[in-house]
């Protein structure tokens, strides 16, 4: 029953909010699963088409290599007929000459009229695994590039998939062979499986919303987080349903693939069986099976049986045995027995079960990353819901609707209104980080300039971010922080939108600088607002909102962006990020309570003019410079130069898919969050910031060394997963190490001699400003190092060695030790003691 403190309208509002949050999360889950299923099913069909077209290609190559002209080849229809009969999904097989004229053709003539000649596929604009034609060919796209040892590109044009392979003589390519299949073979099958999931998502969200509405205020009065638990249960159950759908779909694809390949092989043996020739007397038939296996490397075995006895098998040890079904493989058997025959002849093709289990494991990994992103988003809205409800409950009667009660003076509940602003601002930026370095590198190559310019857009972003901070601080005092939020979000979104429509290098440079300005305005706006509305004893909690927003936004952005780019392309992700910027700006305008400029000015503990005046004293202090140069700047340089710039490039070069790249970087942010919480408590209790900083620097260097070591192993000598394991461990260590540094370094600076001279707030503000040098310098130096090492993983080992050396220099040059720091703290004057420094970790912008 609704109460005066929790009326029906607010109950409905909370339920509607959670309905939208869960619905968006579930639809994103289903959309990602749909895209993944479509791509995987396309690969199944691509492998099947590749096997068929390479069989025909191999048969045609022998006479061509002997000098026969392409138009004089005899028997094309005989070669094409088995493929067309074994798989009804194949639409056409066509031979073109070297200028694109059709020489031979088989299949539906109506399909041939829709398909362009091979030379019309030659020019592509590559974007994250999907490449769009530049020559006007409608809908020409590269969908996938091979599987295992296969070498092919699955193209899409005018509603049909196609694989094109060359036909060559001893000296040159004389033509091409193309095989096609309608896209509806894939889309109809995938749509049929996923249609019910799209319908189920709003139903599940509605049930959850009812639960929230019925639970009402009780969810705030119990220690058991029922709302959060219910959210997690619904998401996990939905994920299980999606995974079950994928298992069924992938199994169907594997069986269809085995059926088509077995049918193709059976068609090529049908004449031998029809004439009742003794198979044991045919020379070279076993080599035919071996060659078929080479052309289709996903096949684990192929066999021919007579009366259930194995006559030919790709594993010679099984010849002569009785054939038995395998429980660990997908099998398909083609019965070749002619009518009125006294013997039963069959062909069997086996595919390993890991064809499906490998794809399912990959999907589970992606869903786990998506769940983490959804959990951060849901957490924000849970907190926002509490902010909306609690102040109305806590205000005296008659004041809940008073504008003055909201706008005047510090109000702790107002902090939660700003959480989504910064979270979404960081999220829209990090949606692109899994592929942005590769995107920029491609633009650099297209522009014909040196690869050393690939780091310039990243330098521009962080440089303009840093240059915006001081002017933004002045602006916050004059016009208030709220305009900075929505203007910053719009500028950040505009910069990303520009990348979608103007992908040349100079436009990318300008766009990244614009995004840097926008993010700088957003950061100062949010920081000023939080300091203005937070009660005096909770300034640190206000700063923690920035930390949570940055790390949560980074984790969510990496998880979502790396998954969506495979289905939406880079252009789609850039447009989505810009749309999030617009929506977030509207939220900031409408939902964030305004505050007066006087409140903002009063809350400014370190005005911009004090910051500028303190820079001169700071750069003359050896202890401060030692901390800055050996701990602060290197940590930020590793973040921007290694984690967000070099790591995606090296992972892409090593063949990691986009989602893996984003998730590996996401692990870094998770490690930072996990370690920051425990390290901050340790430093607050023990006051030993020096040892923690030293440990952080050494662990960071060791993590980088592991990354460098992981890329040096020969895949032929060590297990394939060794490199990935070392890379992940290295990234975890670097993230944990930066958690050791982000918060304690502020405490260390606050306890330094410089802080006692100019005040802790001014010293820490000066440090935070100067550490931005690391953000700018990181991509420059790491980019040059990558060029010098020819983009090898050894660059990471070099960086790790430098970080370790700087840690030693820090020990030698440090003036503040734990014991001396405590002694210095006791000798502070009352005025100094009343000016505490915030010690919460700062966002790694």
């Amino acid at each position: 029953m609704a109460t005066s403190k929790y009326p029906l309208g607010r109950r409905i509002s909370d339920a509607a909010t959670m309905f939208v949050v869960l619905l968006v999360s579930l639809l994103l889950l289903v959309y990602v699963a749909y895209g993944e299923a479509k791509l995987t099913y396309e690969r199944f069909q691509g492998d099947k088409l590749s096997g068929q077209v390479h069989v025909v290609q191999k048969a045609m190559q022998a006479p061509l290599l002997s000098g026969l002209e392409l138009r004089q080849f005899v028997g094309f229809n005989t070669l094409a007929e088995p493929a067309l009969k074994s798989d009804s999904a194949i639409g056409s097989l066509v031979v073109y000459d070297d200028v694109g004229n059709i020489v031979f053709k088989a299949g539906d003539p109506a399909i041939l009229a829709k398909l362009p000649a091979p030379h019309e596929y030659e020019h592509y604009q590559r974007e994250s695994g999907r490449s769009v034609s530049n020559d006007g060919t409608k809908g020409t796209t590269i969908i996938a590039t091979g599987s295992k040892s296969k070498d092919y590109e699955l193209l899409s044009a005018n509603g049909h998939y196609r694989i094109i392979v060359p036909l060559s003589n001893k000296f040159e390519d004389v033509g091409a062979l193309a095989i096609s299949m309608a896209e509806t073979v894939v889309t109809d099958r995938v749509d049929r499986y996923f249609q019910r999931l799209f319908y189920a998502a709003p139903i599940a969200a509605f049930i959850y919303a009812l639960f929230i509405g019925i639970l009402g205020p009780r969810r705030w009065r119990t220690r058991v987080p029922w709302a959060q638990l219910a959210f997690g249960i619904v998401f996990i159950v939905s994920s299980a349903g999606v995974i079950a759908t994928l298992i069924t779909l992938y199994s169907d694809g594997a069986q269809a693939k085995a059926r088509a390949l077995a049918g193709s092989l059976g068609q090529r043996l049908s004449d031998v069986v029809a004439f009742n020739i003794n198979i044991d007397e045919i020379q070279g038939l076993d080599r035919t099976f071996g060659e078929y296996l080479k052309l289709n490397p996903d096949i684990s075995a192929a066999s021919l049986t007579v009366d259930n006895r194995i006559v030919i098998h790709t594993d010679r040890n099984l010849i002569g045995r009785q054939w038995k079904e395998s429980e660990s493989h997908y099998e398909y058997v083609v019965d070749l027995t002619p009518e009125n025959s006294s013997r039963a002849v069959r062909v069997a093709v086996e595919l390993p079960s890991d064809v499906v289990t490998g794809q399912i494991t990959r999907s589970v990994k992606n869903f786990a990353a998506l769940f983490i992103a959804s959990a951060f988003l849901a957490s924000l809205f849970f907190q926002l819901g509490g902010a909306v409800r609690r102040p109305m409950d806590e205000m005296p009667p008659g004041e809940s609707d008073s504008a003055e009660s909201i706008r005047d003076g510090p109000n702790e509940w107002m902090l939660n209104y700003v959480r989504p602003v910064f979270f979404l601002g960081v999220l829209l930026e990090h949606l692109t980080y899994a592929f942005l370095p590769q995107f920029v590198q491609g633009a650099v190559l297209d522009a014909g300039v040196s690869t050393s310019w690939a780091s310039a857009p990243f330098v521009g972003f962080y440089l303009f971010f840093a240059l915006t901070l001081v002017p933004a601080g002045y602006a916050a005092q004059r016009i208030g922080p709220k305009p900075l939020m929505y203007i910053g979000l719009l500028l950040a979104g505009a910069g990303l939108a520009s990348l979608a429509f103007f992908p040349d290098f100079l436009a990318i440079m300008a766009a990244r600088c614009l995004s840097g300005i926008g993010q700088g305005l957003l950061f100062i706006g949010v920081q000023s607002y939080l300091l203005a509305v937070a009660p005096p004893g909770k300034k640190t909690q206000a700063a923690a909102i920035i930390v949570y927003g940055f790390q949560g936004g980074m984790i969510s952005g990496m998880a979502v962006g790396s998954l969506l780019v495979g289905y939406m392309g880079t252009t789609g992700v850039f447009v989505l990020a810009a749309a999030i910027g617009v929506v977030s700006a509207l939220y900031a305008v409408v939902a964030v309570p305004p505050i007066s400029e006087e409140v903002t000015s009063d809350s400014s503990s370190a005005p911009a003019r004090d910051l500028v005046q303190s820079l001169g004293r700071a750069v003359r202090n050896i202890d401060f410079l030692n901390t800055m140069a050996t701990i602060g700047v290197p940590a930020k340089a590793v973040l921007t130069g290694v984690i967000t710039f070099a790591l995606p490039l090296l992972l892409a070069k090593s063949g990691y898919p986009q989602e893996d790249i984003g998730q590996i970087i996401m692990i870094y942010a998770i490690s930072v969050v996990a370690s920051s919480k425990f390290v901050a408590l340790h430093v607050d209790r023990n006051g030993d910031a020096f040892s923690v900083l030293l440990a952080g620097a050494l662990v960071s260097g060791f993590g980088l060394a592991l990354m460098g070591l992981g890329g040096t192993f020969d895949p032929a000598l060590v297990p394939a997963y060794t490199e990935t394991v070392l890379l992940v461990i290295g990234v975890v260590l670097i993230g944990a190490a930066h958690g050791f540094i982000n918060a304690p370094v502020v405490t260390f600076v606050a306890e330094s001699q410089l802080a006692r001279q100019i005040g802790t707030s001014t010293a820490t503000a000066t440090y935070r400003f100067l550490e931005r040098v690391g953000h700018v310098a990181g991509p420059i130096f790491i980019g040059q190092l990558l060029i010098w090492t020819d983009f090898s993983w050894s660059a990471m080992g070099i960086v790790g060695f430098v970080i370790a050396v700087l840690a030693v220099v820090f020990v030698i040059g440090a003036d503040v030790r734990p014991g001396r720091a405590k002694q210095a703290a006791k000798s502070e004057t009352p005025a100094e003691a009343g000016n505490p420094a915030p010690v919460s970790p700062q966002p790694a912008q």
Side-chain angles (χ1 to χ4, degrees):
M1 182 176 179
T3 64
S4 59
K5 289 189 176 183
Y6 199 73
L8 180 62
R10 188 161 303 283
R11 192 184 293 266
I12 295 175
S13 175
D14 282 3
T17 300
M18 290 300 103
F19 172 80
V20 172
V21 173
L22 184 57
L23 180 61
V24 170
S25 300
L26 294 181
L27 288 180
L28 184 59
L29 169 70
V30 176
Y31 177 75
V32 168
Y34 177 87
E36 181 126 350
K38 187 171 180 288
L39 286 179
T40 302
Y41 208 77
E42 283 171 347
R43 293 189 184 102
F44 279 132
Q45 300 301 323
D47 291 348
K48 182 179 67 174
L49 292 179
S50 177
Q52 301 279 25
V53 76
H54 279 93
V55 169
V56 179
Q57 179 199 33
K58 184 175 179 62
M60 295 186 68
Q61 279 294 116
L64 293 177
L65 293 173
S66 300
L68 183 70
E69 292 187 9
L70 181 60
R71 291 185 176 274
Q72 296 176 349
F73 182 85
V74 178
F76 173 75
N77 288 334
T78 303
L79 291 174
E81 185 178 2
L84 294 172
K85 285 186 176 181
S86 65
D87 189 354
S88 60
I90 297 177
S92 66
L93 270 164
V94 188
V95 174
Y96 296 89
D97 62 18
D98 56 348
V99 294
N101 297 318
I102 295 178
V103 180
F104 306 112
K105 59 184 178 180
D108 187 350
I111 295 176
L112 298 178
K114 300 178 182 179
L115 300 177
H119 68 275
E120 297 179 25
Y121 289 92
E122 290 179 357
H123 304 291
Y124 297 100
Q125 174 190 356
R126 300 202 176 270
E127 63 162 39
S128 303
R130 288 181 174 262
S131 308
V132 182
S133 170
N134 280 334
D135 61 4
T137 301
K138 182 180 178 181
T140 302
T141 307
I142 294 179
I143 298 296
T145 55
S147 171
K148 292 187 178 180
S149 62
K150 290 188 178 181
D151 182 16
Y152 73 85
E153 286 183 331
L154 180 63
L155 307 172
S156 174
N158 300 332
H160 286 78
Y161 298 120
R162 214 175 195 197
I163 293 177
I164 302 173
V165 294
L167 296 173
S168 309
N169 58 24
K170 289 183 178 180
F171 308 103
E172 60 184 350
D173 290 344
V174 296
L177 173 65
I179 189 171
S180 68
M181 180 183 70
E183 289 185 9
T184 53
V185 173
V186 172
T187 55
D188 289 351
R189 184 62 58 89
V190 176
D191 289 349
R192 181 163 60 87
Y193 277 97
F194 272 83
Q195 190 175 34
R196 57 180 177 267
L197 293 177
F198 280 106
Y199 292 148
I203 296 175
F206 180 74
I207 294 173
Y208 176 71
L210 285 179
F211 173 77
I212 292 296
I214 294 173
L215 189 64
R218 288 188 293 274
R219 71 179 188 270
W220 305 105
R221 299 168 185 167
T222 177
R223 294 182 179 180
V224 180
W226 291 111
Q228 290 87 336
L229 286 175
F231 182 94
I233 291 172
V234 173
F235 193 96
I236 292 172
V237 170
S238 301
S239 298
V242 170
I243 291 171
T245 300
L246 291 178
I247 292 175
T248 304
L249 180 64
Y250 293 167
S251 298
D252 177 74
Q255 291 168 0
K257 180 177 175 181
R259 180 170 60 251
L261 296 177
S264 174
L265 182 58
Q267 286 288 330
R268 284 166 171 77
L269 298 174
S270 59
D271 289 341
V272 174
V273 178
F275 289 107
N276 282 321
I277 300 174
N278 189 344
I279 295 175
D280 294 330
E281 296 178 357
I282 301 177
Q283 299 294 324
L285 195 57
D286 56 342
R287 289 197 301 272
T288 301
F289 276 72
E291 291 173 357
Y292 200 81
L293 202 65
K294 290 179 181 178
L295 292 173
N296 299 276
D298 283 336
I299 296 177
S300 59
S303 61
L304 178 68
T305 66
V306 177
D307 295 330
N308 214 38
R309 183 179 66 88
I310 299 175
V311 177
I312 298 175
H313 201 288
T314 49
D315 183 355
R316 293 181 177 274
N317 296 324
L318 299 179
I319 295 176
R321 298 184 182 181
Q322 290 293 310
W323 184 83
K324 295 180 180 180
E325 291 186 1
S326 173
E327 296 181 356
S328 60
H329 290 74
Y330 291 97
E331 294 178 324
Y332 193 80
V333 180
V334 176
D335 192 350
L336 303 179
T337 306
E339 292 184 8
N340 302 321
S341 176
S342 59
R343 60 179 183 173
V345 183
R346 295 181 177 88
V347 169
V349 169
E350 298 180 8
L351 267 69
S353 58
D354 59 11
V355 170
V356 172
T357 57
Q359 295 295 338
I360 294 299
T361 302
R362 175 184 167 197
S363 297
V364 170
K365 172 179 64 68
N366 292 341
F367 295 161
L370 192 59
F371 175 73
I372 294 173
S374 299
F376 275 103
L377 183 63
S379 175
L380 280 175
F381 281 92
F382 281 128
Q383 293 168 354
L384 181 61
V388 171
R389 192 190 68 81
R390 285 175 178 172
M392 303 305 176
D393 292 348
E394 294 168 1
M395 288 179 184
E399 294 187 10
S400 60
D401 296 325
S402 172
E404 289 76 11
S405 65
I406 296 178
R407 298 183 183 182
D408 296 337
N411 292 279
E412 179 185 355
W413 60 269
M414 295 169 65
L415 297 176
N416 285 329
Y417 278 96
V418 188
R419 290 179 185 269
V421 175
F422 192 62
F423 177 90
L424 293 174
V426 175
L427 182 144
L428 70 89
E429 172 67 22
H430 285 83
L431 280 173
T432 67
Y433 274 31
F435 61 86
L436 187 60
Q438 303 91 296
F439 179 83
V440 172
Q441 189 178 46
V444 168
L445 296 176
D446 291 341
V449 298
S450 171
T451 53
S452 60
W453 285 95
S455 62
F458 296 88
V459 173
F461 174 87
Y462 290 110
L463 177 62
F464 276 83
F465 178 93
L467 294 177
T468 303
L469 297 180
V470 173
Y474 280 111
Q477 296 180 26
R478 292 180 176 274
I479 64 175
K482 183 175 177 177
L484 298 186
M485 295 184 204
Y486 56 78
I487 293 174
L489 286 166
L490 291 175
L491 291 179
L496 292 172
S498 300
L499 297 179
F501 303 106
F502 306 101
D504 59 280
F505 179 68
L506 292 179
I508 291 174
M509 276 291 303
R512 295 307 294 154
C513 293
L514 181 64
S515 291
I517 294 172
Q519 290 289 340
L521 291 174
L522 173 64
F523 176 74
I524 292 298
V526 171
Q527 179 176 263
S528 300
Y529 189 96
L530 293 174
L531 292 176
V533 302
K538 297 192 175 182
K539 299 292 185 182
T540 299
Q541 293 183 22
I545 292 177
I546 295 181
V547 179
Y548 177 89
F550 178 80
Q551 300 298 346
M554 180 179 181
I555 292 169
S556 301
M558 287 290 189
V560 175
S562 62
L563 292 173
L564 292 182
V565 69
Y567 324 126
M568 302 175 66
T570 57
T571 299
V573 176
F574 287 141
V575 171
L576 174 63
I580 293 175
V582 173
V583 172
S584 303
L586 291 175
Y587 169 85
V589 172
V590 175
V592 175
I595 56 176
S596 63
E597 291 82 356
E598 291 78 8
V599 174
T600 306
S601 178
D602 293 342
S603 66
S604 178
S605 59
R609 64 175 66 91
D610 293 342
L611 178 62
V612 174
Q613 293 173 357
S614 66
L615 291 178
R617 300 185 67 178
V619 297
R620 294 193 298 269
N621 186 281
I622 300 300
D623 180 45
F624 181 86
L625 288 180
N626 178 60
T627 304
M628 179 70 62
T630 59
I631 299 296
V633 169
K636 302 308 178 187
V638 169
L639 169 64
T640 61
V642 173
I643 300 299
T644 63
F645 176 64
L647 186 57
L649 289 176
L650 293 174
L651 290 172
K653 183 181 178 183
S654 298
Y656 287 83
Q658 294 289 356
E659 63 266 25
D660 288 353
I661 295 174
Q663 289 159 17
I664 288 175
I665 300 175
M666 184 184 75
I667 290 173
Y668 162 84
I670 294 174
S671 301
V672 173
V673 173
S675 65
S676 295
K677 178 178 180 181
F678 299 104
V679 170
L681 292 174
H682 172 79
V683 173
D684 285 344
R685 291 172 180 173
N686 302 321
D688 189 7
F690 176 84
S691 300
V692 171
L693 291 178
L694 177 60
L698 293 175
V699 171
S700 176
F702 181 65
L704 287 163
L706 280 182
M707 291 172 59
L709 180 64
T712 61
F713 289 115
D714 185 352
L717 301 178
V718 297
Y721 56 80
T722 303
E723 176 183 296
T724 302
V725 170
L726 290 178
L727 288 176
V728 170
I729 293 176
V731 170
V732 169
L733 290 178
I734 295 171
H738 285 182
F740 278 44
I741 293 173
N742 290 347
V745 72
V746 179
T747 302
F748 191 76
V749 170
E751 295 175 346
S752 66
Q753 181 183 8
L754 178 66
R756 294 192 294 273
Q757 294 173 353
I758 66 176
T760 54
S761 294
T762 304
T764 54
T766 303
Y767 168 82
R768 290 179 186 132
F769 178 77
L770 289 178
E771 74 175 355
R772 305 289 174 183
V773 173
H775 291 142
V776 177
I780 297 176
F781 289 107
I782 303 300
Q784 293 298 320
L785 185 59
L786 287 176
I787 294 174
W788 293 338
T789 59
D790 194 24
F791 286 84
S792 73
W793 286 101
S794 61
M796 301 297 97
I798 295 173
V799 176
F801 175 76
V802 172
I803 296 295
V805 171
L806 290 175
V808 175
V809 175
F810 170 68
V811 174
I812 297 174
D815 179 59
V816 177
R817 301 294 190 272
R820 295 174 61 180
K822 293 180 180 179
Q823 183 178 1
K826 293 179 180 179
S827 64
E828 281 185 343
T829 64
E832 291 171 334
N835 188 19
V839 296
S840 294
Q842 295 301 304
Q845 284 273 5

